[in-house]
Amino acid sequence: MSTIGTDALRTAGWRPGRDAGDDALPGMLTAVSTVSPHGGQAWELFPAAERALREFHGLTIAPVTPGTDVAATGCAIDPRAARFAPRTAGSFARAIGQRLFPFGRTEADTLLFLDEKGRLFAVDHGGWWLLGESAEAGLTALLEGRAPRRIAPRSHHWQLARLPAEDELTDLVRTAMVPVYVLHRHGLVTARAARFRIIGLRGHGPVRLDEAFPLAPGSLDDSAVLLLKGVRQALDPIPLASAETSIELCNAAVGKSPRAGIGCSISTGRQGDQGIGIRLTADTKTVLESGAELADATAELEAYASRRVVRAAPVS
């Protein structure tokens, strides 16, 4: 906690161990009694929210600096100020697997919410933002104008040039070993199998093959050799010409889906694409829980793709 943030909180009336006591109850009770658009209770109070509201309720906090990364913003702590957004909060709560409770509103009319872990979030026209791992840390970030982290699903797509020394199937399999290594090294996916799919007419025709092949333990080169052998046996006599061929990394027993939250596929022959494509996706919960690991893995794959790029592909 920086001195600037602490001073701003103290100026507003906060101190370590503060407890607003009964003064915090009306706001919490009003929020709890709010009816959702579908009927029933809109909000459910949980311990982390109650603790934070008892500590900060009733404070109107003003920034004391222009802002480090973005404009510093003041706020008022009162759950009643954010209680009429249960639908918006409910969708995000389901995406991250945590209940939310209203916390307050900034002077820019951005709504503030707490989750069951005590993390402070903000929602505005740009989406959902993580302000801090605690109410204190989040409020300090607002007051100091430190950039929040956007929490939303991610999709990254890289288009790679073919390796001239390899046939299409060998190139596809060896390319797939790169995300296998990168995602494992960053603790995101431990691939136990690769789901191999061939779809005719460049992805718009019949499915010619859809089978999962186990990845052998040991070196990536050994895994690639054994995977190639198994795939070639399964392909005979299926032609690859004019077909989309893809490998999807699996994180469990053969035939199971990839790890929930992370998806990675490597493909070639897709209509409108050249070379080999790598697509990495992450859902909202994974972006929140694995932010640093996901960013590092994405950067590593980006560096690899830049050495084999055909053309820039949009990233969302």
Side-chain angles (χ1 to χ4, degrees):
M1 178 66 67
S2 74
T3 302
I4 294 175
T6 301
D7 288 347
L9 288 173
R10 287 184 181 276
T11 299
W14 172 85
R15 64 184 183 280
R18 178 179 183 268
D19 187 347
D22 292 342
D23 290 340
L25 292 178
M28 290 188 280
L29 291 175
T30 300
V32 167
S33 65
T34 302
V35 178
S36 77
H38 306 292
Q41 186 176 310
W43 308 100
E44 183 179 354
L45 185 63
F46 43 82
E50 182 175 359
R51 286 193 299 269
L53 283 167
R54 292 177 71 93
E55 183 175 355
F56 293 99
H57 178 82
L59 299 183
T60 299
I61 310 169
V64 293
T65 178
T68 302
D69 306 309
V70 296
T73 306
C75 60
I77 311 304
D78 187 337
R80 289 170 291 195
R83 68 188 176 101
F84 291 117
R87 182 175 297 172
T88 300
S91 177
F92 184 68
R94 288 188 293 273
I96 65 173
Q98 296 280 323
R99 290 176 294 173
L100 295 177
F101 197 81
F103 187 65
R105 184 188 294 266
T106 74
E107 59 188 20
D109 286 332
T110 297
L111 303 182
L112 304 176
F113 296 89
L114 293 157
D115 77 349
E116 294 177 82
K117 294 185 177 181
R119 295 175 292 200
L120 185 60
F121 296 90
V123 62
D124 60 15
H125 64 277
W128 284 88
W129 308 84
L130 176 64
L131 299 177
E133 294 296 324
S134 67
E136 185 179 350
L139 290 173
T140 301
L142 278 176
L143 296 169
E144 296 181 352
R146 285 190 271 113
R149 180 158 66 93
R150 189 165 187 263
I151 307 299
R154 301 283 175 83
S155 178
H156 303 270
H157 181 212
W158 300 278
Q159 204 66 29
L160 283 58
R162 284 283 312 281
L163 295 176
E166 306 283 7
D167 63 71
E168 183 179 71
L169 186 58
T170 301
D171 190 2
L172 183 69
V173 169
R174 293 197 178 279
T175 300
M177 293 301 108
V178 175
V180 166
Y181 167 74
V182 171
L183 295 176
H184 175 76
R185 194 165 75 85
H186 292 285
L188 294 170
V189 173
T190 300
R192 301 300 186 191
R195 184 182 179 189
F196 198 87
R197 288 167 58 88
I198 299 178
I199 304 176
L201 300 177
R202 299 201 178 279
H204 297 280
V207 177
R208 298 175 180 172
L209 179 68
D210 188 352
E211 185 176 341
F213 298 85
L215 294 179
S219 71
L220 294 178
D221 285 340
D222 290 343
S223 291
V225 169
L226 292 174
L227 179 58
L228 265 171
K229 181 179 179 181
V231 169
R232 289 191 192 280
Q233 289 175 347
L235 279 175
D236 189 29
I238 300 173
L240 290 178
S242 300
E244 177 187 335
T245 307
S246 65
I247 295 175
E248 188 175 17
L249 304 187
C250 302
N251 193 50
V254 174
K256 295 292 183 66
S257 299
R259 171 185 176 182
I262 290 282
C264 185
S265 62
I266 303 88
S267 62
T268 187
R270 181 174 296 176
Q271 189 171 20
D273 285 346
Q274 302 175 33
I276 291 179
I278 298 178
R279 184 174 297 277
L280 177 68
T281 60
D283 66 11
T284 306
K285 184 176 182 179
T286 302
V287 171
L288 174 60
E289 304 291 350
S290 305
E293 295 87 350
L294 182 61
D296 290 344
T298 301
E300 196 166 337
L301 289 173
E302 179 75 39
Y304 169 72
S306 67
R307 298 192 292 270
R308 288 184 54 181
V309 71
V310 173
R311 63 181 184 276
V315 176
S316 60

